[in-house]
């Protein structure tokens, strides 16, 4: 890995924006100047320019009790009003908000006026179900317009949504519902995936069923169900309500109330270094300000003419900030797609770009690498000439994939913005501005105006250009997480304790600054893996493996993978009784599908190796570094701290 990184850091290609691009761009060097001169004043300007406040704020930032920030805290706003009503009031009601396409090819075009009306009706339904300010609503839906309607209806009421990715299992859903104490769940019978209906409601039923343990409280009173898949579902008359019965019958009158800027907007669970996912909490005014501001300038948005497409699912933060909140706050027109890139044919995405005239495409390196593998002849069958800007997010993009993206998808001329950020940061933090920055393949480059980033050593000292270290954020920012739901201590420990003296936020990413001061992201420095741009915790998968009767012990590592960035590789010790009764192939298949059921298919290990022992230090700590060497087919590193130095040769021989 490190030799590969050194190779990447030799990257000397640079692509300044074309004159034509710069001439039409809204990006202005004055943004950097203004932010550098008066950071808080700059954010105050952004909050006033991009957001409509029911009650103006008088103070930008209250950082008197770090790390608990308050932004624009005496201001009041309604987040949904900002994404909907105000555009209609400005005469833009006929502008298309969503160009939706279902996987089977069905279509819906929804204008801002229609979307506003639908959200008002849904808000009235939720009110009737007892939802008000501060209540939690879990959303477990496919990528259908109702997903966005649901998020905005919850936001409109000052309530808090917790969107759970539809690919998560019933168990994962249940722990998220319970942790947040959700009162209502919004789901669908099923959604389309790779040509088939994949059921969702049964997982909700299962998540809400068989509660027998201590302290297991059933908080959910109602389940609102969208009919999408047409699959048969069980029905609980007391609890379940069809969306199509309730929403169209509800009143389309609903006046948005103003809520304080710091009113919670959503909880989104993400993997941390322990087995228990963290409920990342975001609030309203600051979050919406930075989501809208970054969507506007990083994507050089021209809302009258652009067709934006962010391919992320709303179950991830990218879908929150760049499908729902950023684009809609900015009055943009966007594509929303239910399906996968390769169904029913491997050119489906490019067909959609051609069909809808997509001008800005925002996706993940893992998708680009899988298209690269399939070959350029597939995208080349389609007219992609509408594209003028490409974006990347979720993991480091290697220069080869970056160049392919620009040449094959972007006809050798579109700028590429490689955007670094996290669920916790809420919105983009590091990225070129496409009308200004000369881009460099593989580097996310520079903090956006208003954001202060540094790379430090373990003690918080700046490493300076040409050196590597840890990525830190040195000043608070508007869309920063406000905490971990129900766990303020974990919030402090995870992000703020490491650099307590400096008051820096620790991102958990390694990074390097090159000689030009451009930032190169080097992946996680903790026990978090990044598989296809999705965060997974090694500990969570290990807990799932040992929860199976067959497993005595397990260790999981993220091994580099050509397509998915990293892949989950598990080393397990199997109990003798199981070894006697099953074949190794049977056992590995069993454990792979077990993890898939327990957490979700994305967590399923690529490889499961059955080993007699795990490498441990004398104090009993598993040395994952050595297992990663084996998983990546490298010579095993220094084993001298192992209690038993022969273990690694046994494991290596097992793996070969
Ligand atoms: C990684 C996704 C390199 C990083 C928005 C971060 C990246 C984690 C990039 C957050 C990028 C995200 N280059 N690495 N452009 N963007 N990452 O919370 O390790 O799902 O900490 O948010 O993804 O993942 P999350």
């Amino acid at each position: 890995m490190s030799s590969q990184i050194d190779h990447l850091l030799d990257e000397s290609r640079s692509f300044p924006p074309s004159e034509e691009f710069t001439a039409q761009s809204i990006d202005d060097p004055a943004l950097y100047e203004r932010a550098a001169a008066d950071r808080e004043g700059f954010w105050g300007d952004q909050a006033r320019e991009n957001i409509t406040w029911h009650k103006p704020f008088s103070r930008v930032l209250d950082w008197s009790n770090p790390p608990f920030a308050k932004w624009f805290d005496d201001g009041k706003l309604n987040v949904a009003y900002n994404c909907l009503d105000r555009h209609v009031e400005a005469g833009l009601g006929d502008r298309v908000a969503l160009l939706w396409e279902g996987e089977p090819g069905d279509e819906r075009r929804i204008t801002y006026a229609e979307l506003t009306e639908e959200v008002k009706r849904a808000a009235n339904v939720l009110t009737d179900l007892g939802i008000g300010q501060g209540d939690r609503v879990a959303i477990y839906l496919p990528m259908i317009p109702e997903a966005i309607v649901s998020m905005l209806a919850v936001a409109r009421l000052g309530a808090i949504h917790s969107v759970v990715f539809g690919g998560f299992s019933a168990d994962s859903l249940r722990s998220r519902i319970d942790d947040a104490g959700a009162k209502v769940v919004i789901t669908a019978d099923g959604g389309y995936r790779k040509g088939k209906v994949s059921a969702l409601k049964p997982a909700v039923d299962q998540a809400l069923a068989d509660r027998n343990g201590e302290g297991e409280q059933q908080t959910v009173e109602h389940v609102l169900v969208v009919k999408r898949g047409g699959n048969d579902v069980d029905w609980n008359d007391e609890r379940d309500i069809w969306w199509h019965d309730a929403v169209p019958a509800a009143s389309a009158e609903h006046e948005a109330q103003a809520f304080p800027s710091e009113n919670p907007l959503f909880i989104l669970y993400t993997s941390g270094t322990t087995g228990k996912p963290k409920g990342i909490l975001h609030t309203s005014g600051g979050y919406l300000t930075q989501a809208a501001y970054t969507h506007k300038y990083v994507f050089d948005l021209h809302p009258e003419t652009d067709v934006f497409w962010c391919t992320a699912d709303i179950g991830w933060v990218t879908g929150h900030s760049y499908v729902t909140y950023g684009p809609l706050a900015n009055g943009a027109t966007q594509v929303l797609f239910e399906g996968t890139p390769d169904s029913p044919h491997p050119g489906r995405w490019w067909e959609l770009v051609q069909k809808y005239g997509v001008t800005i495409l925002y996706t993940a390196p893992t998708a680009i690498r899988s298209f690269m593998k399939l070959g350029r002849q597939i995208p080349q069958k389609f007219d992609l000439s509408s594209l003028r800007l490409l974006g990347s997010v979720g993991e480091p993009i290697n220069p080869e994939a970056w160049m392919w993206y620009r040449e094959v998808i972007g006809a050798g001329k579109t700028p590429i913005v490689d955007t670094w950020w996290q669920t916790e940061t809420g919105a983009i933090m590091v990225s070129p501005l496409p009308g200004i920055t000369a881009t460099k393949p593989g580097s996310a480059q520079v903090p956006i105006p208003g954001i202060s980033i540094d790379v430090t050593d373990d003690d918080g000292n700046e490493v300076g250009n040409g050196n590597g270290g840890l990525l830190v954020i040195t000043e608070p920012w508007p869309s920063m997480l406000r905490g971990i739901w129900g766990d303020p201590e974990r919030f402090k420990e995870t992000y703020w304790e490491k650099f307590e003296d400096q008051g820096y936020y620790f991102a958990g990413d390694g990074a390097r600054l090159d000689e030009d001061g451009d930032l190169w992201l080097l992946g996680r420095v903790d026990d978090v893996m990044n598989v296809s741009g999705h965060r997974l915790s090694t500990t969570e998968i290990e807990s799932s493996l040992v929860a199976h009767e067959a497993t005595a012990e397990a260790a999981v590592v993220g091994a580099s993978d050509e397509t998915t960035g990293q892949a989950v590789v598990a080393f397990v010790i199997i109990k003798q009784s199981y070894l006697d009764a099953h074949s190794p192939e049977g056992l590995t298949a069993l454990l792979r599908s077990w993890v898939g059921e327990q957490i979700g298919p994305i967590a399923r290990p690529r490889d499961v190796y059955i080993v007699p022992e795990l490498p441990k230090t004398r104090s009993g700590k598993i040395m994952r570094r050595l297992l990663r060497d084996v998983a990546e087919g490298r010579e095993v590193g220094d084993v001298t701290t192992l209690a038993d130095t022969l273990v690694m040769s046994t494991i290596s021989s097992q793996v070969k």
Side-chain angles (χ1 to χ4, degrees), residues 52 54 76-83 155-157 256-259:
T52 303
H54 278 62
K76 286 187 172 184
L77 77 162
N78 185 290
V79 170
Y81 172 87
N82 272 277
C83 295
R156 192 173 186 91
L157 300 174
Q257 304 298 309
F259 295 99

Side-chain angles (χ1 to χ4, degrees), residues 200-269:
L200 287 168
K201 180 154 189 296
V204 176
D205 293 337
Q206 200 186 326
L208 301 182
D210 17 285
R211 278 156 199 273
N212 37 30
E214 288 276 308
E216 288 203 45
Q217 248 188 327
Q218 177 60 276
T219 53
V220 174
E221 294 168 9
H222 290 287
V223 179
L224 188 56
V225 188
V226 180
K227 198 180 192 89
R228 168 63 186 151
N231 46 313
D232 280 339
V233 289
D234 290 342
W235 204 255
N236 174 341
D237 282 326
E238 316 266 272
R239 189 195 70 188
D240 300 343
I241 300 151
W242 282 113
W243 177 286
H244 62 253
D245 285 338
V247 177
S251 162
E253 300 295 317
H254 186 276
E255 199 179 329
Q257 304 298 309
F259 295 99
S261 178
E262 285 297 339
N263 194 53
L265 178 61
F266 66 85
I267 304 168
L268 183 58
Y269 289 83

Side-chain angles (χ1 to χ4, degrees), residues 105-262:
D106 44 341
E107 295 167 20
R108 283 169 72 187
R109 266 167 205 261
I110 303 176
T111 64
Y112 273 94
E114 290 163 346
L115 190 63
T116 305
E117 191 183 311
E118 185 81 353
V119 170
K120 288 180 175 179
R121 288 185 201 275
N124 283 322
V125 170
L126 290 174
T127 306
D128 289 345
L129 296 180
I131 297 300
Q133 183 177 9
D135 287 329
R136 277 81 63 204
V137 176
I139 298 177
Y140 187 63
L141 282 170
M143 285 292 280
I144 55 179
E146 287 80 0
I148 290 182
V149 171
S150 299
M151 291 168 83
L152 292 173
V154 172
R156 192 173 186 91
L157 300 174
I160 307 171
H161 57 70
S162 163
V163 182
V164 180
F165 175 56
F168 276 125
S169 67
D171 270 357
S172 302
L173 175 63
R174 165 204 275 224
S175 65
R176 285 156 172 79
I177 288 174
D178 287 351
D179 187 73
K183 213 163 154 183
V184 166
V185 179
I186 308 181
T187 189
D189 49 358
Y192 288 87
R193 212 183 142 72
K194 298 194 186 282
K196 286 197 301 242
V197 172
S198 145
L200 287 168
K201 180 154 189 296
V204 176
D205 293 337
Q206 200 186 326
L208 301 182
D210 17 285
R211 278 156 199 273
N212 37 30
E214 288 276 308
E216 288 203 45
Q217 248 188 327
Q218 177 60 276
T219 53
V220 174
E221 294 168 9
H222 290 287
V223 179
L224 188 56
V225 188
V226 180
K227 198 180 192 89
R228 168 63 186 151
N231 46 313
D232 280 339
V233 289
D234 290 342
W235 204 255
N236 174 341
D237 282 326
E238 316 266 272
R239 189 195 70 188
D240 300 343
I241 300 151
W242 282 113
W243 177 286
H244 62 253
D245 285 338
V247 177
S251 162
E253 300 295 317
H254 186 276
E255 199 179 329
Q257 304 298 309
F259 295 99
S261 178
E262 285 297 339

